[in-house]
Amino acid sequence: MKKLLAVSLLTLSAAWSSHAVADASQCPATLRFADTGIEGMEEMVRTYGEFQQKLTDILGINVQFFPVSDRTATVNALQFNQVDMILAGPSEYAVMRARQDVKMMVGIERTEYGSAFVVHADSNIHSLADLKGKRIAMKDPGSTTGHIIPTLMLKEAGLDIDRDVQALLLDSARYEAMVNRDVDAMGSGVRDVAVLRERHPEGDYRVIAESDTMPRDLFVARGGISDECISYVNQQIMANGEMLMESILNPGERKKYIGARFVDDLTEEEYDRITEAYALVGMPLN
């Protein structure tokens, strides 16, 4: 009887430990935060100032901005323990997990998150195959919906990226290039089609191809952050998701998250498609 009681107590103790609520003491006193799509401190403060304050209050931990110059710098900062937590797109996460020790946190599920190719309505281009010999505006290197997936779509349509088309990575200048007909098509995010039409309402545009929905954006922690800390942060974000999403949207700098929500059901498998896309376009991550 005593032996059975001891075993039962041990079992209960283990069960209690596995369900114990993590708290702020599991985390560093300061969590350094960066976004792979934000360059410089001024833009970080303008975009995430309200979110930073809300998250600091909710966690009871000082959340500090870590400004970076580009996507590559963000990945390097994580590798050298200069930043603790990064908000990343699927493409950046695929690169991070292939090259260093990182941990998945909560994600952000976005509406209209995919890639699209758009042409002028009077164009004789009606399919991706028709883009052979044409000039195409894209976003910046490594952008999931503005570079990697559009490139993959062209390749899957039978086009040789180096010989059959001229892909120009123009970032924000892609809209102007399209409006001015300096390019024949634009391959970018689905939402960017609406932006193009807003910028040039007198123009007439037509979408010729769209991708499947992309994997979710996500918060990524460096490998040195404990699982207990990640569990605590995830719990607090999910419990205060609506308020935190409002704090991201209020400054008006992150319109891509309109209609988005925090989620905690991410799996590594959903990002395998991005890893495969890198390999197929000739940019293997390993």
Side-chain angles (χ1 to χ4, degrees):
M1 177 65 72
K2 289 182 178 180
K3 185 175 182 181
L4 287 174
L5 180 59
V7 171
S8 297
L9 288 173
L10 285 172
T11 302
L12 285 171
S13 176
W16 171 259
S17 297
S18 66
H19 290 90
V21 177
D23 57 41
S25 66
Q26 312 288 341
C27 297
T30 296
L31 283 174
R32 297 160 297 176
F33 167 68
D35 182 321
T36 57
I38 297 288
E39 299 178 7
M41 180 62 82
E42 182 178 345
E43 188 176 354
M44 278 292 291
V45 172
R46 184 172 65 249
T47 304
Y48 287 113
E50 185 176 339
F51 173 76
Q52 175 200 31
Q53 187 57 58
K54 295 289 187 185
L55 191 58
T56 293
D57 293 343
I58 288 168
L59 296 178
I61 298 170
N62 180 36
V63 178
Q64 184 181 88
F65 288 144
F66 185 87
V68 293
S69 57
D70 54 36
R71 286 183 170 86
T72 301
T74 309
V75 174
N76 290 339
L78 194 67
Q79 183 176 1
F80 292 105
N81 296 332
Q82 296 172 320
V83 66
D84 303 302
M85 184 171 67
I86 292 177
L87 177 54
S91 183
E92 292 87 5
Y93 178 63
V95 173
M96 290 175 194
R97 72 174 185 175
R99 299 177 180 176
Q100 58 194 282
D101 180 21
V102 293
K103 296 179 179 179
M104 181 183 288
M105 300 179 69
V106 296
I108 298 181
E109 190 169 87
R110 295 161 54 180
T111 59
E112 298 183 294
Y113 190 27
S115 297
F117 281 84
V118 61
V119 299
H120 287 273
D122 59 3
S123 170
N124 61 359
I125 298 171
H126 297 279
S127 69
L128 293 180
D130 293 336
L131 289 172
K132 186 171 184 178
K134 306 298 184 182
R135 290 163 58 89
I136 305 167
M138 294 187 189
K139 198 176 179 183
D140 55 284
S143 168
T144 304
T145 58
H147 175 218
I148 300 301
I149 295 302
T151 302
L152 176 63
M153 292 170 70
L154 292 172
K155 189 173 183 66
E156 290 181 335
L159 297 173
D160 186 298
I161 306 303
D162 298 318
R163 292 181 296 183
D164 292 337
V165 299
Q166 186 176 358
L168 305 173
L169 301 178
L170 303 177
D171 204 7
S172 60
R174 65 194 183 280
Y175 300 110
E176 183 179 356
M178 188 65 191
V179 169
N180 295 335
R181 296 180 184 261
D182 294 328
V183 294
D184 302 289
M186 183 177 80
S188 195
V190 170
R191 282 184 178 270
D192 294 340
V193 178
V195 174
L196 176 65
R197 288 169 172 153
E198 288 173 5
R199 292 193 179 192
H200 189 223
E202 64 272 24
D204 194 6
Y205 300 96
R206 173 165 43 84
V207 173
I208 61 169
E210 283 192 33
S211 73
D212 295 332
T213 300
M214 296 295 99
R216 278 77 66 86
D217 289 356
L218 72 165
F219 287 84
V220 183
R222 63 178 175 85
I225 299 296
S226 71
D227 292 343
E228 292 79 9
C229 177
I230 291 172
S231 176
Y232 171 67
V233 174
N234 285 354
Q235 288 170 11
Q236 296 306 310
I237 289 177
M238 292 303 299
N240 298 275
E242 289 188 15
M243 179 177 65
L244 287 172
M245 186 56 66
E246 286 179 7
S247 72
I248 291 175
L249 293 173
N250 283 342
E253 300 290 331
R254 275 291 179 260
K255 293 182 179 179
K256 67 181 183 180
Y257 289 135
I258 292 175
R261 65 189 184 99
F262 287 102
V263 293
D264 59 358
D265 60 345
L266 306 180
T267 64
E268 293 289 351
E269 287 73 22
E270 73 178 274
Y271 299 92
D272 290 345
R273 170 66 169 162
I274 305 300
T275 300
E276 293 167 3
Y278 267 99
L280 286 172
V281 301
M283 299 170 61
L285 298 177
N286 295 319

